[in-house]
Amino acid sequence: MSLELTISEAIKTAMKEKDKVALDSLRAVKSQILLLKTEAKGAEVSAEQEIAILQRMIKQRKDSYEQFTAQNRNDLAEVEEAQMKVIEKFLPQQLSSEELETEMKKIIAETGAQSAKDLGKVMGMAGKALAGKSDGKSISEMAKKLLS
């Protein structure tokens, strides 16, 4: 089942349960998918694009959460955190730090990277191989750690 259909079903469930946070989050995801479809002139949205949308939305909420927390606006931070949790349910299972380290070591071995100078090659390959399984910040931090 495509993400769009899954989200539509989840919206119906959220409406029945009167879950406002889930409903707002899911409507935002559906709107991003529809926007992407419109830009692509009705073409189907690929699974990679769907994952990219979800990751972007989670990143936006994470950034907002950090800003609200820094400004002592816990009421707004809680809303962002709750929406983040709803959206994360639709992402594939995320890698733990140990699993990420193992995958990154494999990628570094495949690219033959030796130092931080080779970070670009590693990040390019890791970004494609680990799309949806981990966020870019975690991948970058692990690559820098392993290459230093």
Side-chain angles (χ1 to χ4, degrees), residues 87-104:
I87 297 169
E88 284 175 344
K89 293 177 187 175
F90 297 95
L91 274 177
Q93 181 66 38
Q94 300 293 294
L95 296 175
S96 68
S97 59
E98 295 82 23
E99 293 169 327
L100 178 60
E101 185 172 354
T102 303
E103 291 296 320
M104 289 301 294

Side-chain angles (χ1 to χ4, degrees), residues 61 64-69 71-83:
R61 278 150 184 79
S64 297
Y65 173 80
E66 290 169 3
Q67 288 177 357
F68 290 142
T69 303
Q71 296 170 358
N72 291 325
R73 292 296 312 266
N74 294 331
D75 55 329
L76 298 173
E78 289 171 5
V79 171
E80 295 296 327
E81 185 177 31
Q83 287 187 356

Side-chain angles (χ1 to χ4, degrees), residues 14-29:
M15 286 173 142
K16 289 176 186 173
E17 295 174 358
K18 296 183 181 2
D19 185 349
K20 183 173 177 9
V21 173
L23 191 58
D24 290 344
S25 306
L26 296 169
R27 283 181 172 160
V29 172

